[in-house]
Structures are given as structure tokens and as C-alpha cells.
Amino acid sequence: MKKLLALAVAGTMAVSLAACGSSASSAPASSEATSEAATSAAESAAESVTEATQGGKVGVCIYKFDDAFMTTYRNALQEILEGKGYEVTIVDGNNDQAKQNEQINTFVTQGVDALIINPVMTSAADQIISTVKDADVPTVLINREPTADQMSAYDKLVYVGCDAAQSGTFQGELILDTENKGDINGDGKVSYIMIQGDPENIDAQLRTEYSVKALTDAGVEVEQLDLQRGDWDRNKGQEICQNDLAKFGDQIEVVFCNNDDMAIGALQAIQAAGRTVNKDIYLVGVDALDAAKNEVANGNMTGTVLNDANGQATQAVECMEELLGGKTYAAGEQSVYVDYVKVTPDNVKDFQ
């Protein structure tokens, strides 16, 4: 794309220079001299424009570095961007929206060519979009999706992620695929606890809703024993599951977790309580972290759902480069999705 741009601009400049040379000279130049001048101008312009358009500065804002999934994601982004010759700066928002706002403002002041932003809070989308729009910085939002109405305010903005409803549906289907469809005690209903991420986050909301909806859409009766906020954190997942196992005991048949980190924490509580996954309790997560895939392979998790960090990072960079090349996005067409994939004991080796 950049080479084509350089050649196009060079050609235009060469024609312009040749024409100016002809009109300014008191004697008409020979065709050979004109040709040499045009060639020299084209080569010089091509070198100049190519140098100006290769690479560029990209600012990447991550909501917090100690999130296991976003660590995989940001590492993939850095590798892809640097491999393409971009100067990349990645900053940690420490799960603090005010701090991230300052980081975005700093990137704007520094004159970055593009931004890739993983918002701390989706409720801050309006402010983020307003900032990048006022600065006319092409921007890709990742992992946390604003509404279509919010994104429509700026046509150099695109969201890259996965359809969180799909991940929730796949979690429910993992339970439906068990021999008893989650009804371990045979009482005609599936009794579950839900360990949710950040309830403000749209991914957490949709995973919570659609995991259970997959069961009810299949005609399965459900009973929610508890729903607790775990903030995507392994320790909180362990604590919530431990407390619920102490409170509800064998009533718990399924543990839904909005991500794998909380699921691994829940697994620790399940094992400490003397319960056995896939025998007297089911456990599902989302992300397909390496640790979770190992637990699925070892029979300690019923399954997880691949949240393809590498695929999303690749798509995010592609969209960023399209924006840098002049592409704009129409309202209602600003979300680009990468599919989730169910990971089970039968196919987990394909992802390890």
C-alpha cells in the first residue's frame, strides 16, 4: 500500500516538475533532458514519500497488564507491529480509567499515527472517541466493545473483537454436550453458580446471559444458586467458588466462569472441597489460556472457549493499516468479529 502511494505521488510530482521546467526555461528542453529530469524527480519523490510512509508511531493502551488474556494479546500486537516496522509504545492502564485517559492524551500530544485501545471501562467510550476524533487519530478499539451509536461518531474508528454472545452460547453447549446435559443429580434441573467478570463489561454481560440461555433454549430447566463478581481474577474466582461450595455443597452441578483465570481459581476450590470435575460437577471458562487447555486435557475442566488473541491482534493491525491508508467506516459497520471456538477434551490437542 505504501509503495503504491509512493509511486503514485512520485509520478505526479515528476509530471509537475517536468511541466514547470518546460515553461520556466527560455529555450525548450530536449526530449532526452526532459526524460532524465522526470526520471530523477520520480526517483527522489519515491524515496522521500516511501521514507515518510513506512512504519510510523503506534500507541497501544491495555486496561491492565496482569490480565492473563490481555498479556497474550498485547504480546501478539507488539510482535506483529514491530515486525512491520512500526515504533510501538504499550502502556498499562492499571485498571484505572482516569490514568488511561491521561495516557491517550499523552499519545495524542506526542503525535502518534494510530492508536489501539483496550478501554478500562466501556462507559468511558464516549470520552475516548471524542478525544481521538478531535485529534484525527485513526483508532482501533479492542476487547471491550462500545455501542454502534457511540462508534458512529467517528468514521476513522473500528472495533475488533469477538461476539461475546457466541462465547456464552458455546459455554452452554459444552454443558449440553455432557451425558446428562448438566443435570448430575437427576432432579430435572441444572443448578449452577455464575462467576462473572466485570458486570459493566459487555463481554461479561453477554457471556453470563447466553451461557444460561443456551440451556433454556434447549428446554433445560435451570436454577441459579449464586452470581458473584470476580473481576476476571483467579484469586477471586477461587474465593467465590470456595464460599459457594461451603454454602450450597452438592447442589452445585455447574460452575460457569466468564474467563479461564477465574475458572482455574474455581478449580482449586473444587479440588480442595473434594469434588471431581466431570464426575460430580462441571466447570467451563473462556479464553483457552494454556493453563486452562492443560486442565481440559487432564480432565479437570469440562471445556473452555478459545478467545483467539493472535487472530484478533492480526485483524486489529490489518484494520489499523486500512485506516492509515485512508479507509473510513460507515455507521453500523464498525465492528469486526473473529470467531470463538469450543475447546473440549476431544480437540484440545489441536490447540496446544
Side-chain angles (χ1 to χ4, degrees):
M1 177 185 72
K2 292 170 184 172
K3 290 181 180 178
L4 289 174
L5 175 61
L7 291 173
V9 174
T12 301
M13 290 177 68
V15 171
S16 175
L17 287 169
C20 290
S22 175
S23 62
S25 177
S26 58
S30 68
S31 60
E32 182 179 351
T34 301
S35 175
E36 290 176 355
T39 300
S40 177
E43 291 175 350
S44 176
E47 291 174 1
S48 176
V49 175
T50 300
E51 182 179 352
T53 56
Q54 281 183 337
K57 295 182 179 180
V58 179
V60 180
C61 298
I62 302 298
Y63 94 101
K64 67 173 183 175
F65 275 11
D66 61 358
D67 180 295
F69 173 72
M70 289 312 302
T71 296
T72 302
Y73 200 146
R74 67 181 164 89
N75 288 340
L77 278 172
Q78 184 167 6
E79 182 178 353
I80 295 168
L81 288 165
E82 290 181 346
K84 288 175 171 285
Y86 292 99
E87 180 184 330
V88 185
T89 303
I90 305 179
V91 293
D92 182 0
N94 291 124
N95 206 26
D96 182 338
Q97 187 60 61
K99 180 174 182 177
Q100 186 177 77
N101 291 343
E102 292 177 2
Q103 292 169 338
I104 294 170
N105 288 331
T106 298
F107 277 137
V108 168
T109 301
Q110 292 172 344
V112 294
D113 298 290
L115 285 166
I116 298 176
I117 301 173
N118 165 217
V120 173
M121 300 170 61
T122 51
S123 60
D126 287 329
Q127 181 175 351
I128 292 171
I129 293 168
S130 176
T131 299
V132 299
K133 179 182 179 182
D134 289 347
D136 195 31
V137 179
T139 300
V140 180
L141 300 179
I142 60 172
N143 190 248
R144 297 181 172 187
E145 184 177 11
T147 66
D149 284 345
Q150 289 174 313
M151 289 191 288
S152 68
Y154 185 36
D155 62 2
K156 295 182 184 178
L157 177 83
V158 63
Y159 170 78
V160 173
C162 294
D163 180 359
Q166 184 187 54
S167 64
T169 298
F170 283 176
Q171 282 191 303
E173 290 177 355
L174 288 169
I175 301 303
L176 291 172
D177 289 341
T178 63
E179 60 181 357
N180 46 31
K181 297 185 177 180
D183 184 13
I184 293 174
N185 60 21
D187 65 353
K189 62 184 176 183
V190 173
S191 300
Y192 70 91
I193 65 169
M194 180 71 66
I195 304 179
Q196 192 177 39
D198 175 359
E200 183 196 278
N201 184 286
I202 188 63
D203 284 10
Q205 295 168 15
L206 293 176
R207 289 173 188 173
T208 297
E209 176 185 355
Y210 279 84
S211 56
V212 177
K213 187 175 185 295
L215 299 180
T216 56
D217 284 352
V220 175
E221 184 180 344
V222 299
E223 177 188 22
Q224 177 180 288
L225 297 173
D226 194 22
L227 186 156
Q228 291 267 354
R229 172 178 181 157
D231 286 326
W232 315 109
D233 183 78
R234 183 176 301 191
N235 291 333
K236 289 185 179 180
Q238 189 273 339
E239 180 182 353
I240 291 166
C241 191
Q242 176 181 294
N243 291 339
D244 281 350
L245 286 167
K247 181 176 181 179
F248 299 107
D250 293 345
Q251 293 181 63
I252 302 174
E253 297 169 297
V254 175
V255 179
F256 286 110
C257 298
N258 281 175
N259 78 341
D260 280 344
D261 241 14
M262 294 188 298
I264 292 169
L267 174 61
Q268 295 168 348
I270 289 168
Q271 292 175 330
R275 302 285 294 272
T276 304
V277 174
N278 294 328
K279 181 179 179 182
D280 58 31
I281 195 168
Y282 294 119
L283 171 66
V284 291
V286 176
D287 285 338
L289 299 178
D290 287 344
K293 288 183 288 187
N294 289 337
E295 298 298 357
V296 172
N298 293 330
N300 296 323
M301 281 181 63
T302 307
T304 184
V305 181
L306 173 65
N307 194 0
D308 187 359
N310 290 316
Q312 290 178 69
T314 299
Q315 185 64 63
V317 174
E318 287 180 3
C319 288
M320 182 200 77
E321 292 193 312
E322 288 177 345
L323 290 168
L324 287 171
K327 180 174 180 178
T328 56
Y329 283 81
E333 299 178 359
Q334 291 172 277
S335 292
V336 178
Y337 295 125
V338 177
D339 280 338
Y340 286 100
V341 182
K342 284 185 281 188
V343 179
T344 70
D346 293 333
N347 70 0
V348 65
K349 289 183 179 179
D350 296 337
F351 301 99
Q352 289 181 309

